[in-house]
Short mmCIF file of all heavy atoms in Angstrom, two decimals:
data_model
loop_
_atom_site.label_atom_id
_atom_site.label_comp_id
_atom_site.label_asym_id
_atom_site.label_seq_id
_atom_site.Cartn_x
_atom_site.Cartn_y
_atom_site.Cartn_z
N TYR W 14 -15.83 -55.51 11.50
CA TYR W 14 -15.46 -55.61 12.92
C TYR W 14 -16.67 -55.44 13.82
O TYR W 14 -16.82 -56.14 14.84
CB TYR W 14 -14.40 -54.57 13.26
CG TYR W 14 -14.04 -54.53 14.73
CD1 TYR W 14 -13.40 -55.61 15.34
CD2 TYR W 14 -14.33 -53.41 15.51
CE1 TYR W 14 -13.09 -55.59 16.69
CE2 TYR W 14 -14.01 -53.37 16.86
CZ TYR W 14 -13.40 -54.46 17.44
OH TYR W 14 -13.08 -54.43 18.77
N ARG W 15 -17.59 -54.53 13.47
CA ARG W 15 -18.74 -54.25 14.33
C ARG W 15 -20.08 -54.68 13.75
O ARG W 15 -21.07 -54.72 14.46
CB ARG W 15 -18.79 -52.75 14.67
CG ARG W 15 -17.63 -52.29 15.54
CD ARG W 15 -17.86 -50.90 16.09
NE ARG W 15 -16.74 -50.45 16.90
CZ ARG W 15 -16.59 -50.70 18.19
NH1 ARG W 15 -17.50 -51.42 18.82
NH2 ARG W 15 -15.54 -50.25 18.86
N LEU W 16 -20.13 -54.97 12.47
CA LEU W 16 -21.39 -55.31 11.84
C LEU W 16 -21.51 -56.82 11.60
O LEU W 16 -20.56 -57.46 11.14
CB LEU W 16 -21.54 -54.59 10.50
CG LEU W 16 -21.72 -53.07 10.54
CD1 LEU W 16 -21.82 -52.51 9.13
CD2 LEU W 16 -22.97 -52.69 11.36
N THR W 17 -22.68 -57.36 11.93
CA THR W 17 -22.97 -58.75 11.62
C THR W 17 -24.38 -58.83 11.03
O THR W 17 -25.22 -57.95 11.26
CB THR W 17 -22.92 -59.65 12.88
OG1 THR W 17 -23.82 -59.13 13.87
CG2 THR W 17 -21.52 -59.71 13.45
N LEU W 18 -24.60 -59.88 10.25
CA LEU W 18 -25.93 -60.13 9.71
C LEU W 18 -26.46 -61.40 10.36
O LEU W 18 -25.75 -62.41 10.41
CB LEU W 18 -25.87 -60.30 8.20
CG LEU W 18 -27.23 -60.24 7.49
CD1 LEU W 18 -27.74 -58.80 7.45
CD2 LEU W 18 -27.14 -60.81 6.10
N GLN W 19 -27.69 -61.34 10.86
CA GLN W 19 -28.23 -62.49 11.57
C GLN W 19 -29.57 -62.94 10.98
O GLN W 19 -30.63 -62.45 11.37
CB GLN W 19 -28.40 -62.18 13.06
CG GLN W 19 -28.89 -63.39 13.88
CD GLN W 19 -28.67 -63.22 15.35
OE1 GLN W 19 -27.53 -63.21 15.82
NE2 GLN W 19 -29.74 -63.11 16.10
N PRO W 20 -29.55 -63.89 10.04
CA PRO W 20 -30.80 -64.52 9.60
C PRO W 20 -31.28 -65.50 10.68
O PRO W 20 -30.47 -66.13 11.36
CB PRO W 20 -30.41 -65.25 8.32
CG PRO W 20 -29.02 -64.78 7.99
CD PRO W 20 -28.40 -64.35 9.26
N GLU W 21 -32.57 -65.63 10.79
CA GLU W 21 -33.16 -66.54 11.77
C GLU W 21 -34.35 -67.26 11.15
O GLU W 21 -34.94 -66.80 10.17
CB GLU W 21 -33.65 -65.76 13.01
CG GLU W 21 -32.62 -64.89 13.67
CD GLU W 21 -33.20 -64.04 14.79
OE1 GLU W 21 -34.42 -64.18 15.07
OE2 GLU W 21 -32.47 -63.23 15.35
N ILE W 22 -34.72 -68.35 11.74
CA ILE W 22 -36.00 -68.99 11.44
C ILE W 22 -36.63 -69.37 12.77
O ILE W 22 -36.02 -70.09 13.58
CB ILE W 22 -35.86 -70.20 10.50
CG1 ILE W 22 -37.23 -70.81 10.21
CG2 ILE W 22 -34.87 -71.23 11.03
CD1 ILE W 22 -37.24 -71.80 9.06
N THR W 23 -37.81 -68.85 13.05
CA THR W 23 -38.44 -69.04 14.35
C THR W 23 -39.89 -69.48 14.20
O THR W 23 -40.54 -69.20 13.19
CB THR W 23 -38.40 -67.74 15.19
OG1 THR W 23 -39.15 -66.72 14.51
CG2 THR W 23 -36.98 -67.26 15.39
N TYR W 24 -40.37 -70.15 15.22
CA TYR W 24 -41.78 -70.53 15.32
C TYR W 24 -42.36 -69.72 16.47
O TYR W 24 -41.83 -69.75 17.59
CB TYR W 24 -41.90 -72.02 15.60
CG TYR W 24 -43.32 -72.54 15.56
CD1 TYR W 24 -43.91 -72.93 14.36
CD2 TYR W 24 -44.07 -72.63 16.73
CE1 TYR W 24 -45.21 -73.41 14.32
CE2 TYR W 24 -45.38 -73.10 16.70
CZ TYR W 24 -45.95 -73.49 15.50
OH TYR W 24 -47.24 -73.95 15.46
N ALA W 25 -43.44 -68.98 16.20
CA ALA W 25 -43.95 -68.05 17.20
C ALA W 25 -45.46 -68.16 17.36
O ALA W 25 -46.20 -68.31 16.37
CB ALA W 25 -43.58 -66.62 16.83
N ASN W 26 -45.92 -68.12 18.62
CA ASN W 26 -47.35 -68.03 18.93
C ASN W 26 -47.73 -66.56 19.01
O ASN W 26 -47.13 -65.80 19.79
CB ASN W 26 -47.65 -68.69 20.28
CG ASN W 26 -47.12 -70.10 20.37
OD1 ASN W 26 -46.49 -70.45 21.35
ND2 ASN W 26 -47.35 -70.92 19.36
N GLU W 27 -48.71 -66.16 18.23
CA GLU W 27 -49.15 -64.77 18.22
C GLU W 27 -50.67 -64.71 18.28
O GLU W 27 -51.33 -65.74 18.33
CB GLU W 27 -48.60 -64.04 16.98
CG GLU W 27 -47.08 -64.07 16.89
CD GLU W 27 -46.54 -63.32 15.68
OE1 GLU W 27 -47.31 -62.59 15.03
OE2 GLU W 27 -45.35 -63.50 15.37
N GLY W 28 -51.23 -63.50 18.28
CA GLY W 28 -52.68 -63.35 18.31
C GLY W 28 -53.11 -62.20 19.18
O GLY W 28 -52.36 -61.26 19.43
N SER W 29 -54.35 -62.29 19.68
CA SER W 29 -54.90 -61.23 20.53
C SER W 29 -56.14 -61.75 21.25
O SER W 29 -56.66 -62.83 20.94
CB SER W 29 -55.25 -59.99 19.69
OG SER W 29 -56.29 -60.29 18.77
N LYS W 30 -56.62 -60.96 22.20
CA LYS W 30 -57.85 -61.25 22.94
C LYS W 30 -58.79 -60.06 22.83
O LYS W 30 -58.36 -58.91 22.86
CB LYS W 30 -57.55 -61.54 24.42
CG LYS W 30 -56.71 -62.79 24.65
CD LYS W 30 -56.46 -62.99 26.15
CE LYS W 30 -55.62 -64.23 26.41
NZ LYS W 30 -55.37 -64.42 27.86
N GLN W 31 -60.08 -60.36 22.72
CA GLN W 31 -61.07 -59.29 22.58
C GLN W 31 -62.36 -59.73 23.25
O GLN W 31 -62.75 -60.89 23.16
CB GLN W 31 -61.32 -59.00 21.10
CG GLN W 31 -62.24 -57.82 20.83
CD GLN W 31 -62.57 -57.67 19.36
OE1 GLN W 31 -62.54 -58.64 18.61
NE2 GLN W 31 -62.88 -56.46 18.93
N GLN W 32 -63.02 -58.79 23.92
CA GLN W 32 -64.28 -59.14 24.54
C GLN W 32 -65.28 -58.01 24.39
O GLN W 32 -64.92 -56.86 24.20
CB GLN W 32 -64.11 -59.50 26.01
CG GLN W 32 -63.75 -58.33 26.93
CD GLN W 32 -63.65 -58.79 28.38
OE1 GLN W 32 -63.01 -59.78 28.69
NE2 GLN W 32 -64.30 -58.04 29.25
N GLY W 33 -66.57 -58.37 24.47
CA GLY W 33 -67.63 -57.38 24.34
C GLY W 33 -68.99 -58.03 24.45
O GLY W 33 -69.11 -59.25 24.61
N ILE W 34 -70.04 -57.22 24.32
CA ILE W 34 -71.42 -57.69 24.40
C ILE W 34 -72.00 -57.72 23.00
O ILE W 34 -72.01 -56.68 22.32
CB ILE W 34 -72.26 -56.78 25.31
CG1 ILE W 34 -71.63 -56.71 26.72
CG2 ILE W 34 -73.70 -57.28 25.39
CD1 ILE W 34 -72.27 -55.67 27.60
N PRO W 35 -72.45 -58.88 22.52
CA PRO W 35 -73.04 -58.94 21.18
C PRO W 35 -74.26 -58.03 21.06
O PRO W 35 -74.97 -57.80 22.05
CB PRO W 35 -73.43 -60.42 21.04
CG PRO W 35 -72.61 -61.13 22.05
CD PRO W 35 -72.42 -60.17 23.19
N PRO W 36 -74.54 -57.49 19.86
CA PRO W 36 -75.68 -56.58 19.68
C PRO W 36 -77.02 -57.19 20.06
O PRO W 36 -77.92 -56.49 20.52
CB PRO W 36 -75.63 -56.26 18.18
CG PRO W 36 -74.22 -56.53 17.78
CD PRO W 36 -73.75 -57.66 18.63
N ASN W 37 -77.18 -58.52 19.89
CA ASN W 37 -78.47 -59.16 20.19
C ASN W 37 -78.51 -59.78 21.57
O ASN W 37 -79.40 -60.59 21.87
CB ASN W 37 -78.78 -60.22 19.13
CG ASN W 37 -77.68 -61.29 19.06
OD1 ASN W 37 -76.62 -61.12 19.66
ND2 ASN W 37 -77.95 -62.37 18.32
N ALA W 38 -77.57 -59.44 22.44
CA ALA W 38 -77.54 -60.04 23.78
C ALA W 38 -78.72 -59.56 24.61
O ALA W 38 -79.12 -58.39 24.57
CB ALA W 38 -76.24 -59.67 24.47
N SER W 39 -79.27 -60.49 25.38
CA SER W 39 -80.42 -60.16 26.21
C SER W 39 -80.03 -59.52 27.53
O SER W 39 -80.86 -58.97 28.23
CB SER W 39 -81.24 -61.43 26.47
OG SER W 39 -80.42 -62.41 27.11
N SER W 40 -78.75 -59.60 27.88
CA SER W 40 -78.29 -59.07 29.16
C SER W 40 -76.86 -58.55 29.02
O SER W 40 -76.08 -59.05 28.21
CB SER W 40 -78.34 -60.16 30.24
OG SER W 40 -77.68 -59.74 31.42
N SER W 41 -76.52 -57.54 29.80
CA SER W 41 -75.18 -56.97 29.76
C SER W 41 -74.15 -57.92 30.37
O SER W 41 -72.95 -57.70 30.24
CB SER W 41 -75.14 -55.63 30.51
OG SER W 41 -75.52 -55.81 31.86
N THR W 42 -74.64 -58.97 31.08
CA THR W 42 -73.72 -59.95 31.65
C THR W 42 -73.35 -61.03 30.64
O THR W 42 -72.51 -61.87 30.90
CB THR W 42 -74.34 -60.62 32.89
OG1 THR W 42 -75.56 -61.28 32.50
CG2 THR W 42 -74.64 -59.59 33.96
N TYR W 43 -73.99 -60.99 29.46
CA TYR W 43 -73.72 -61.96 28.40
C TYR W 43 -72.54 -61.42 27.59
O TYR W 43 -72.68 -60.51 26.77
CB TYR W 43 -74.96 -62.11 27.53
CG TYR W 43 -74.87 -63.19 26.47
CD1 TYR W 43 -75.39 -64.47 26.71
CD2 TYR W 43 -74.27 -62.95 25.24
CE1 TYR W 43 -75.32 -65.46 25.75
CE2 TYR W 43 -74.20 -63.93 24.27
CZ TYR W 43 -74.73 -65.17 24.53
OH TYR W 43 -74.66 -66.14 23.57
#
């Protein structure tokens, strides 16, 4: 009465963003 099972199949965009200054950068603005 209260329980259901829900299988799904989905297509999803995932990931992340990251930023920083490379160790060999000549300037902090790089």
Side-chain angles (χ1 to χ4, degrees):
Y14 175 66
R15 293 192 181 274
L16 292 179
T17 57
L18 194 75
Q19 183 163 292
E21 305 174 3
I22 181 167
T23 62
Y24 186 86
N26 307 132
E27 301 181 12
S29 64
K30 295 180 180 180
Q31 185 186 27
Q32 70 178 49
I34 303 171
N37 58 349
S39 58
S40 170
S41 60
T42 60
Y43 186 97

